[in-house]
Amino acid sequence: MKFSKCARIAILSVGILFACGRAWPADATPRASGGDVVTLNFVNADIEGVVKAVGEITGKNFLLDPRVKGTVNIISAKPISRSLVYDVFLSALRLQGFAVVESRGILKIVPESDAKLNPSPTYGPDEKVRGTGDQIRTQVFTLKYESAVQIVPILRPLITPNNTITAYANNNTLVVTDYASNLQRIEKIIDSIDQPSSSDGIVIPLKYASALDIAQTVSRLFAEQSQVQASPGATDAMQKIVIVADTRSNSLLARSDNPSRLAKLRSLVSLLDTPTSAAGNMHVVFLKNAEAVKIAETLRAIYQTGGASALQRPATPPITALGASLATPTGTSTQPGVPGVSPTTTQMSTPLSFSGQPQTAATAPGIIQADAATNSIIITAPDPIYNDLRAVIEKLDSRRAQVYIEALIVEVNASKAAEFGVQWQDLSGVNSNNGQAFGGTNFGGPGQNIFGIAQNPASSGQGLSVGVIKGVVTIPGIGQILNMGLLVRALQQDTSANILSTPTLLTTDNEEARIVVGQNLPFITGQYALSGAATTPTPFQTIQRQDVGVQLRIKPQISAGGTVRLQIYQEVSSVDPASANNSAGPTTNKRSVESLVLVDDGQIAVIGGLIQDNVSDTVSKVPVLGDLPLLGGLFQYKTRARTKSNLLVFLRPTVLRDGKQVNSVATERYDYIRGEQEKSRALGAGSHVLPDVGSPLLPPLPPLPPIPPAVEAAPTAVK
């Protein structure tokens, strides 16, 4: 190492200090002030000289990077300990943008930006950083609760810009390279942040009360408090609390960012979860979806089949029997749609009886009553039994899914008919008194044969009719008719029909729905009349009405995997026009299918179809003459017809599990009908001759109100 000048050598009272470098000012000379203390005064001293002096004092070996240049200022007004000289020196280098990296006993002085690239002491998650002050170290931190990736933006501003901090998300660790003193500060910050959060949730077990009832009560209470404490139009996250009931363990699960609210919850629950003195506590449970009468029957059936011992807890006496099933008192009127239920009375049951226990306050009997008017259940039973019943009610009183069924009934009919024939006739000698021969060929019905058309030309059927007339003849008993000698008829007819019916149904899971689109026609089933008697009773007929049209009956059942099981009865019927004047009554054409199918949600299934293809070919001819080659066509009448009909029925069920999906379907159908009404109104407008009588139009659909939260919408149990 080259030096510009050798400095003086000073021998002081204790120790020898030797410095090399450029010339120091008089007050820049290190002085020994005793055996273990040193006074340092470097003013604009060259770094190389200061490194040499510090090396003599501390006994350490330094290796300077060629880029390490500059001056250092170190002033100590009082003597400092010899052991602190190295730390003071490191701080002075840090102020100049340099750092010391220790490697194999050699201290390398390099620019701070390159310090992280050199080997430095590295400590794992369970090790403490050794060394203090401005020494470069690398520390690995393993986080237990917080995310290492999310903590990096918090710690990055606290680390020297030239040093690094890196997060490894796979094992949630941080790798930080920085000065030892700053790493100790980072470690304390991480320990303070990486704490279990109260928002992770707590479990509050209950001994006596029902977790479902307590959850509804305290949820409503805390929800109202949050609305009062929060400013208008704002939501305070610290005031939010989520409470969920676990029926299996009869516990409450709570989560909140505010520990004080969790403490209040614990205190409130401990006050509510207390035993009562009487075994027959009365509880009123309001149902949200299910029918109270059916739920009450189910609860009784559980105990009637011996299920009470499985539901109750060991501390309670076993239930051996439950009273008789529901019965309506004599003389009470039943509620429409609910057989055996009085709209003003509740359904009673025999009290729950306990075996092996005297009838005391601790073992008093209980009852289960259903009030149809308020759709609620009244339960009088000990707390453990009530908690079991309450858990069953909560599972049964869930929102039932609905099924929206679209049926497509497609009927396509096509018929082709053709006829061609030649008929002859000679009536010239009908009115002659002399013997004359007459005759001819006659094929078809009144509108087709030559005699019918000669009698009434207007009765000629459809198609082409060409003939030769030889005047008029008079036939006794008939009158005058045309003397038609020749008639040629030709007809070709094509008929097609495309009928589409799209009935739709919306029904609850496992409930049958029915839709009928058609007419209710009367059919004569019997009649009574007397004639020729002196006292003839009034004649009468018995009539039975029958639905004719499109009928659809469906009972869906939704499986756990989303498959829909459909019990289907489909009928398409119509009145045959040819039987309109039948004295026995009209004839109906009927096509029906009854089936049980499985269809995935939203998929289309074909449940039945009918494809008919009928061909008829008729030839009417004169014997012998009709068989002659070529000339035989003049003595023939041919009719050919073909009828083809296709009938298919398609179904597409869609499962609607919440109110939002139901509203979406209803809105779509409502807008469709309103659009068709607007089109109809537009067709009738603009006439200058006919007055505008106006057409009905559905009002615009108002915006649907938001579905309230379950806590606010569900009535809580009253105790």
Side-chain angles (χ1 to χ4, degrees):
M1 184 181 298
K2 295 180 64 178
F3 302 97
S4 60
K5 182 179 181 181
C6 292
R8 61 179 177 269
I9 301 175
I11 302 177
L12 303 177
S13 58
V14 180
I16 300 176
L17 294 180
F18 162 65
C20 290
R22 66 191 183 116
W24 296 343
D27 55 351
T29 305
R31 301 193 304 270
S33 303
D36 293 328
V37 295
V38 176
T39 300
L40 300 177
N41 288 304
F42 295 97
V43 179
N44 294 327
D46 188 78
I47 288 181
E48 296 178 356
V50 176
V51 170
K52 184 64 176 177
V54 172
E56 291 293 334
I57 296 174
T58 60
K60 298 180 182 294
N61 299 321
F62 293 96
L63 182 63
L64 273 72
D65 189 281
R67 293 170 294 178
V68 178
K69 301 291 184 180
T71 59
V72 176
N73 293 302
I74 303 176
I75 300 175
S76 57
K78 296 180 180 181
I80 61 176
S81 174
R82 187 183 296 269
S83 60
L84 298 179
V85 173
Y86 181 63
D87 293 336
V88 173
F89 174 65
L90 293 179
S91 300
L93 290 178
R94 181 179 177 181
L95 294 176
Q96 299 299 321
F98 305 118
V100 177
V101 179
E102 183 177 354
S103 176
R104 298 181 180 181
I106 298 177
L107 302 176
K108 295 186 291 184
I109 303 177
V110 296
E112 188 180 58
S113 59
D114 292 345
K116 60 181 177 291
L117 305 178
N118 290 270
S120 60
T122 303
Y123 303 93
D126 300 330
E127 298 178 295
K128 295 291 183 181
V129 176
R130 290 190 292 270
T132 58
D134 298 320
Q135 304 176 33
I136 294 295
R137 298 287 187 268
T138 299
Q139 176 77 43
V140 178
F141 300 96
T142 299
L143 280 67
K144 298 180 180 179
Y145 307 102
E146 298 296 333
S147 170
V149 177
Q150 295 180 357
I151 286 186
V152 169
I154 300 176
L155 300 180
R156 176 71 263 184
L158 305 178
I159 297 175
T160 308
N162 291 324
N163 292 326
T164 61
I165 174 173
T166 307
Y168 184 61
N170 288 350
N171 58 359
N172 202 37
T173 58
L174 290 174
V175 180
V176 184
T177 300
D178 204 359
Y179 296 100
S181 58
N182 198 36
L183 285 177
Q184 295 174 357
R185 181 179 68 155
I186 295 297
E187 182 180 7
K188 293 180 180 179
I189 294 175
I190 292 177
D191 291 340
S192 301
I193 295 177
D194 190 29
Q195 297 292 331
S197 174
S198 59
S199 60
D200 292 340
I202 61 173
V203 179
I204 306 177
L206 302 179
K207 296 181 179 179
Y208 309 102
S210 170
L212 294 168
D213 291 343
I214 296 297
Q216 291 181 355
T217 303
V218 297
S219 295
R220 179 169 297 181
L221 176 63
F222 279 96
E224 293 176 355
Q225 290 181 354
S226 300
Q227 293 177 358
V228 172
Q229 296 177 3
S231 58
T235 335
D236 190 358
M238 294 297 291
Q239 301 298 330
K240 291 183 178 179
I241 184 170
V242 180
I243 303 172
V244 180
D246 179 41
T247 57
R248 186 187 64 84
S249 61
N250 197 40
S251 304
L252 293 180
L253 307 178
R255 183 181 64 187
S256 177
D257 294 334
N258 191 344
S260 63
R261 294 183 70 81
L262 293 178
K264 291 180 181 179
L265 175 64
R266 288 182 181 273
S267 176
L268 182 60
V269 170
S270 64
L271 295 176
L272 296 176
D273 187 29
T274 56
T276 56
S277 58
N281 303 305
M282 183 171 293
H283 306 264
V284 179
V285 182
F286 294 94
L287 303 183
K288 301 183 289 294
N289 301 288
E291 295 183 21
V293 175
K294 294 183 179 180
I295 294 295
E297 292 177 352
T298 303
L299 297 179
R300 294 191 188 96
I302 294 175
Y303 289 99
Q304 287 176 347
T305 56
S309 59
L311 287 178
Q312 63 181 348
R313 291 176 171 79
T316 60
I319 298 178
T320 58
L322 181 68
S325 59
L326 295 175
T328 305
T330 305
T332 59
S333 59
T334 58
Q335 181 183 0
V338 183
V341 180
S342 172
T344 57
T345 61
T346 59
Q347 298 220 349
M348 304 294 294
S349 67
T350 305
L352 302 173
S353 61
F354 302 89
S355 62
Q357 296 290 337
Q359 295 298 327
T360 61
T363 60
I367 60 173
I368 301 176
Q369 301 177 0
D371 182 35
T374 59
N375 197 38
S376 60
I377 298 178
I378 303 173
I379 301 176
T380 303
D383 287 338
I385 299 177
Y386 168 73
N387 293 340
D388 293 332
L389 294 176
R390 188 67 178 87
V392 174
I393 292 174
E394 182 67 20
K395 293 180 180 180
L396 296 179
D397 188 32
S398 59
R399 181 188 179 96
R400 297 170 63 184
Q402 299 185 85
V403 181
Y404 179 69
I405 303 170
E406 298 173 276
L408 304 176
I409 306 171
V410 184
E411 184 175 5
V412 179
N413 297 323
S415 62
K416 295 183 179 180
E419 61 179 85
F420 181 81
V422 179
Q423 302 177 52
W424 302 88
Q425 182 176 266
D426 186 10
L427 302 178
S428 301
V430 172
N431 296 324
S432 176
N433 294 326
N434 299 324
Q436 296 287 340
F438 77 95
T441 59
N442 191 0
F443 305 107
Q448 297 174 319
N449 57 52
I450 190 171
F451 184 77
I453 297 177
Q455 184 179 1
N456 183 12
S459 65
S460 177
Q462 297 179 353
L464 176 65
S465 297
V466 178
V468 176
I469 300 175
K470 300 178 180 180
V472 179
V473 296
T474 303
I475 299 178
I478 296 178
Q480 290 185 347
I481 64 172
L482 297 177
N483 185 9
M484 185 174 291
L486 174 66
L487 176 65
V488 180
R489 280 188 49 80
L491 173 65
Q492 184 176 354
Q493 185 177 13
D494 293 340
T495 303
S496 62
N498 185 1
I499 304 173
L500 176 65
S501 300
T502 58
T504 58
L505 285 173
L506 178 63
T507 181
T508 309
D509 180 25
N510 213 25
E511 296 290 343
E512 182 178 309
R514 177 184 179 188
I515 186 173
V516 178
V517 180
Q519 295 177 311
N520 188 264
L521 301 180
F523 291 87
I524 300 175
T525 58
Q527 58 185 357
Y528 179 77
L530 293 177
S531 61
T535 57
T536 302
T538 303
F540 66 90
Q541 293 178 336
T542 58
I543 296 175
Q544 180 182 2
R545 290 190 171 271
Q546 181 179 343
D547 293 331
V548 176
V550 178
Q551 298 187 44
L552 177 63
R553 293 202 307 267
I554 295 181
K555 183 178 181 180
Q557 184 178 5
I558 305 172
S559 64
T563 304
V564 183
R565 179 176 180 266
L566 298 174
Q567 293 182 2
I568 306 164
Y569 177 78
Q570 173 71 50
E571 177 183 313
V572 179
S573 58
S574 61
V575 177
D576 188 358
S579 63
N581 299 324
N582 193 348
S583 60
T587 302
T588 58
N589 301 321
K590 179 179 177 181
R591 299 183 181 95
S592 64
V593 58
E594 188 171 0
S595 179
L596 178 63
V597 298
L598 293 176
V599 188
D600 291 334
D601 181 15
Q603 300 300 317
I604 298 178
V606 55
I607 63 170
L610 174 65
I611 300 178
Q612 281 185 323
D613 195 354
N614 299 326
V615 177
S616 63
D617 197 349
T618 304
V619 178
S620 300
K621 60 184 178 179
V622 177
V624 181
L625 295 179
D627 296 330
L628 295 176
L630 299 177
L631 296 178
L634 300 176
F635 302 94
Q636 293 180 354
Y637 196 92
K638 295 182 178 181
T639 303
R640 183 172 297 169
R642 179 177 181 178
T643 303
K644 185 176 183 179
S645 62
N646 298 319
L647 174 65
L648 291 174
V649 180
F650 301 90
L651 287 180
R652 183 174 68 177
T654 303
V655 180
L656 308 178
R657 300 189 180 275
D658 52 27
K660 184 177 180 181
Q661 292 179 319
V662 176
N663 293 339
S664 176
V665 172
T667 303
E668 178 186 359
R669 296 288 89 187
Y670 191 94
D671 293 341
Y672 170 77
I673 293 298
R674 194 170 189 275
E676 293 298 318
Q677 289 182 336
E678 291 178 347
K679 293 179 182 178
S680 176
R681 172 179 286 187
L683 292 176
S687 175
H688 300 287
V689 179
L690 300 177
D692 186 5
V693 297
S695 59
L697 181 65
L698 289 173
L701 191 65
L704 297 175
I707 301 177
V711 173
E712 298 181 3
T716 183
V718 180
K719 219 175 180 178

